[in-house]
Amino acid sequence: MSRIGKLPISLPAGVTVACKENVVTVKGPKGELSQAIDPSINITIEDGQISFGLVENAEVETKQQQAFHGLYRALVNNMVVGVSEGYKKELELVGVGYRASNNGNIIELSLGYSHNIFIQLPNEIKVETKSERNKNPLIILESCDKQLLGQVCAKIRSFRKPEPYKGKGIKFVGEEIRRKSGKSAGAK
């Protein structure tokens, strides 16, 4: 059995979980999420805890079933944390003239191209931009869906990945960029 899959998930106050026809639905103060579960995984909800196991009629556990065991436990745990606490990611724009602004759920990025980039974000994500003097602009994204938040952050970051020579680009706050030294002086 999977080590992660064996661990039970404790439900915080205000979070309800329902499992119907291999679809788990989690509701909480921050929102509602649902996830389809493979039929080879058995879910039990009792005493404020969710436990995952493999279906009894399988004689031999395959590697695929073991992988699903840990995977779906982790996905449901992310859903429980998301609807109770939520997730937050901060992106920093490093570079001269790089700017970000938002109008509702539309982000406008100025990243040194000949045109500005506009991104329409899903309704599940809340966005905030900060631009302070002598500091790099920040994009703060919040959501209850960890997968969607990571996907949106990756998309925004893909417009200008941090480069190793000057460190310019879009990076996560606190991320360390491996720097390179550049050209060395020509030998004679």
Side-chain angles (χ1 to χ4, degrees):
M1 286 181 77
S2 166
R3 285 188 218 165
I4 293 174
K6 287 181 195 175
L7 300 173
I9 301 171
S10 59
L11 295 174
V15 175
T16 59
V17 177
C19 182
K20 185 177 180 184
E21 297 175 4
N22 292 334
V23 175
V24 175
T25 305
V26 181
K27 293 180 186 175
K30 298 268 184 178
E32 178 180 343
L33 297 171
S34 60
Q35 171 71 44
I37 302 289
D38 192 77
S40 65
I41 303 299
N42 187 18
I43 300 173
T44 55
I45 304 165
E46 55 188 27
D47 299 331
Q49 287 193 329
I50 308 170
S51 302
F52 293 84
L54 298 174
V55 173
E56 295 294 325
N57 60 7
E59 295 88 29
V60 180
E61 294 179 14
T62 63
K63 282 194 171 202
Q64 187 66 47
Q65 285 177 318
Q66 291 174 357
F68 280 160
H69 190 206
L71 169 76
Y72 288 119
R73 189 265 178 207
L75 290 176
V76 172
N77 186 45
N78 288 343
M79 290 165 47
V80 169
V81 172
V83 298
S84 61
E85 300 169 18
Y87 291 101
K88 181 178 181 180
K89 296 243 184 187
E90 295 182 1
L91 296 168
E92 182 178 8
L93 281 66
V94 180
V96 176
Y98 288 9
R99 287 187 299 276
S101 62
N102 71 307
N103 185 6
N105 265 14
I106 298 175
I107 300 178
E108 180 182 357
L109 299 172
S110 176
L111 299 174
Y113 294 117
S114 61
H115 58 282
N116 290 348
I117 299 170
F118 294 90
I119 307 167
Q120 172 71 46
L121 296 180
N123 293 332
E124 295 88 12
I125 294 183
K126 295 180 188 126
V127 65
E128 180 186 349
T129 55
K130 287 185 181 178
S131 297
E132 295 179 19
R133 191 169 174 88
N134 296 330
K135 289 189 178 177
N136 292 328
L138 291 175
I139 302 172
I140 301 164
L141 301 167
E142 293 184 48
S143 178
C144 63
D145 192 348
K146 188 175 186 179
Q147 292 178 5
L148 181 65
L149 184 65
Q151 189 175 4
V152 168
C153 286
K155 181 65 177 171
I156 292 172
R157 187 183 160 145
S158 72
F159 293 120
R160 273 280 192 218
K161 286 192 177 171
E163 53 97 16
Y165 296 102
K166 293 183 180 178
K168 291 169 48 173
I170 301 174
K171 66 177 190 129
F172 291 104
V173 171
E175 178 185 7
E176 291 290 325
I177 307 292
R178 286 187 58 193
R179 302 295 294 269
K180 293 184 179 179
S181 61
K183 286 186 182 178
S184 57
K188 292 185 179 180

